[in-house]
Amino acid sequence: MKNIIITGGAGFIGSHVVRLFVNKYPDYHIINLDKLTYAGNLANLHDIKDKPNYTFVKGDICDYELMQKLMRQYEVDGIIHLAAESHVDRSIKDPFTFAHTNVIGTLTLLQAAKEYWESLPEKYEGKRFYHISTDEVYGALQLTNPEGIESPFTTKASSEHHHAYGTEFFTEETKYNPHSPYSASKASSDHFVRAFHDTYGMPTIVTNCSNNYGPYQFPEKLIPLFINNIRHRKPLPVYGEGLNVRDWLYVEDHARAIDLIFHKGKVADTYNIGGFNEWKNIDIIHVLIKTVDRLLGRPEGADEDLITHVTDRKGHDLRYAIDSRKLQRELGWEPSLQFEEGIEKTVRWYLDNQEWMDNVTSGDYQKYYDSMYKDR
């Protein structure tokens, strides 16, 4: 049996990774370690909570004594590290929290893993520390084709909207150039992970992924926020003119990539994970309005008047676009869904799970967990 800690497993991406591993590998023991901050919600995993190969631990990755204890208690073979503060707007207001969680938390995990694994007769053999990062560490790309051109990438999931908005793309060799406190904290944590390989020989892997979307995403992020606002006819706040471009990936495709890289990826290597799927924010918003209105039986375009342009975010990167052909070429991964199909599934999920959304937006789920774990 492999004993694997997945940090941040009650969060958006983490819950999809935990579910995949618990269901796909019944002979693994999956330990979900999550602090249950505002973005962590065990309701995301209600369907697997009683599985015999699943254990939840409420804990802080910055707690070194706890991390040491968990490594020994569960005889941990692998760590898939997703726990992070991730919302750029929050990082602009509170950079200290991002530095503490993302940098010190990652370093704490690395040191606890190093100490335990080096105490074993086999040392690092059969062990793996997999760190999930972001494309934002690379900085920003120029928006050279505002109307879009045909993308140079092809996948089975290529859709009609398969555009590129420039000729440059982030590759695994792109130099780091973070522009926000969030991306700076993630860049620092990436460097620590690589340093632990170079210094101690720890078997590490780093992946940098583009924007994820799909079920269970906390509704401070664009897609779930706007779906909920359209449903309730609330304003849709668009930064500037909405021309910022992001590469979007359905979260279950990211979870599949993580599974593949954890098992087959090359130690000390880096893999970029992207959707080959660039969209301007304003175009995404129009698609969301059209889809929500159709599914709610409203006239097409009925909620276009909700679009409200607001002052742009400080240091707002103009374009991110990932070249993930290395992952496609070496490990055979590519996105499975066309974006239109993924958006349809995502909108339907949020409309069908209004109770989940209400609990998250009200904060009731946090009060429940605070009382549940107050004596532990």
Side-chain angles (χ1 to χ4, degrees):
M1 175 178 282
K2 284 194 174 180
N3 303 308
I4 300 168
I5 287 180
I6 298 178
T7 70
F12 167 46
I13 300 171
S15 62
H16 286 275
V17 177
V18 167
R19 178 180 294 104
L20 175 64
F21 272 70
V22 167
N23 288 330
K24 185 174 178 180
Y25 302 107
D27 56 335
Y28 287 13
H29 181 198
I30 304 302
I31 301 101
N32 173 9
L33 172 64
D34 200 294
K35 189 179 176 183
L36 295 182
T37 61
Y38 76 95
N41 187 351
L42 289 177
N44 297 356
L45 292 164
H46 65 92
D47 53 320
I48 61 154
K49 63 184 176 66
D50 297 323
K51 295 266 188 173
N53 63 329
Y54 170 71
T55 300
F56 172 72
V57 176
K58 185 176 189 289
D60 186 345
I61 58 171
C62 296
D63 184 340
Y64 185 52
E65 286 187 9
L66 176 60
M67 296 308 102
Q68 290 177 301
K69 177 188 169 189
L70 294 178
M71 292 298 296
R72 293 190 300 268
Q73 178 182 346
Y74 293 109
E75 299 180 342
V76 173
D77 300 303
I79 295 173
I80 299 176
H81 178 34
L82 289 128
E85 294 284 349
S86 67
H87 192 49
V88 175
D89 289 349
R90 288 177 183 261
S91 81
I92 293 169
K93 293 175 182 171
D94 180 17
F96 283 105
T97 296
F98 280 69
H100 186 67
T101 298
N102 297 352
V103 183
I104 300 302
T106 301
L107 179 56
T108 302
L109 273 173
L110 285 163
Q111 185 68 13
K114 170 189 170 291
E115 183 184 72
Y116 172 63
W117 288 338
E118 287 191 346
S119 74
L120 301 174
E122 70 274 21
K123 305 284 186 193
Y124 289 121
E125 187 180 339
K127 306 298 186 280
R128 182 151 291 192
F129 190 106
Y130 179 178
H131 175 67
I132 284 84
S133 188
T134 171
D135 58 356
E136 297 193 34
V137 297
Y138 296 126
L141 296 169
Q142 291 297 312
L143 181 66
T144 55
N145 304 299
E147 300 308 313
I149 57 171
E150 188 175 345
S151 172
F153 309 128
T154 57
T155 74
K156 292 179 207 154
S158 295
S159 66
E160 292 174 12
H161 184 106
H162 200 54
H163 293 163
Y165 290 91
T167 54
E168 287 184 286
F169 300 89
F170 296 140
T171 72
E172 288 80 2
E173 284 72 45
T174 300
K175 288 183 179 178
Y176 276 28
N177 186 25
H179 292 152
S180 72
Y182 162 60
S183 55
S185 69
K186 289 298 288 185
S188 177
S189 67
D190 295 2
H191 290 319
F192 269 109
V193 173
R194 294 188 177 105
F196 266 65
H197 170 267
D198 294 349
T199 304
Y200 308 110
M202 182 182 286
T204 62
I205 289 182
V206 175
T207 55
N208 301 84
C209 191
S210 61
N211 282 30
N212 281 217
Y213 71 98
Y216 299 111
Q217 188 170 26
F218 191 79
E220 66 185 355
K221 300 295 178 80
L222 188 150
I223 287 177
L225 173 69
F226 278 37
I227 292 170
N228 199 44
N229 283 14
I230 296 164
R231 178 177 196 148
H232 296 290
R233 287 204 47 80
K234 293 180 180 177
L236 306 178
V238 180
Y239 283 129
E241 296 302 309
L243 300 180
N244 303 74
V245 172
R246 298 295 180 261
D247 176 19
W248 291 90
L249 178 67
Y250 191 65
V251 65
E252 290 180 5
D253 281 334
H254 188 190
R256 284 194 307 106
I258 290 171
D259 174 24
L260 184 64
I261 293 164
F262 180 77
H263 289 97
K264 302 282 180 64
K266 196 189 302 178
V267 166
D269 218 341
T270 299
Y271 297 91
N272 280 350
I273 309 172
F276 302 105
N277 183 42
E278 293 182 55
W279 284 76
K280 286 187 283 192
N281 285 349
I282 193 66
D283 293 338
I284 287 247
I285 292 161
H286 288 305
V287 169
L288 289 172
I289 292 170
K290 187 176 179 181
T291 307
V292 174
D293 283 349
R294 174 170 52 80
L295 293 176
L296 290 179
R298 296 175 182 171
E300 184 171 333
D303 291 309
E304 292 281 342
D305 62 325
L306 298 176
I307 293 175
T308 307
H309 293 275
V310 298
T311 304
D312 206 354
R313 168 193 283 164
K314 293 177 182 177
H316 198 176
D317 291 336
L318 194 55
R319 174 176 173 253
Y320 303 147
I322 274 190
D323 178 350
S324 51
R325 285 179 295 180
K326 174 182 173 181
L327 178 57
Q328 194 178 30
R329 182 176 64 250
E330 293 187 9
L331 298 181
W333 175 91
E334 62 177 46
S336 67
L337 287 181
Q338 293 185 8
F339 185 68
E340 290 81 357
E341 185 183 356
I343 280 290
E344 181 86 10
K345 286 180 71 170
T346 300
V347 171
R348 283 186 183 277
W349 188 89
Y350 284 104
L351 295 182
D352 291 344
N353 288 272
Q354 189 61 37
E355 185 179 353
W356 180 91
M357 179 66 84
D358 290 343
N359 280 335
V360 171
T361 51
S362 69
D364 286 348
Y365 70 105
Q366 273 193 289
K367 296 171 196 166
Y368 171 74
Y369 296 136
D370 286 347
S371 64
M372 186 176 176
Y373 291 101
K374 66 181 177 182
D375 298 323
R376 299 192 181 185

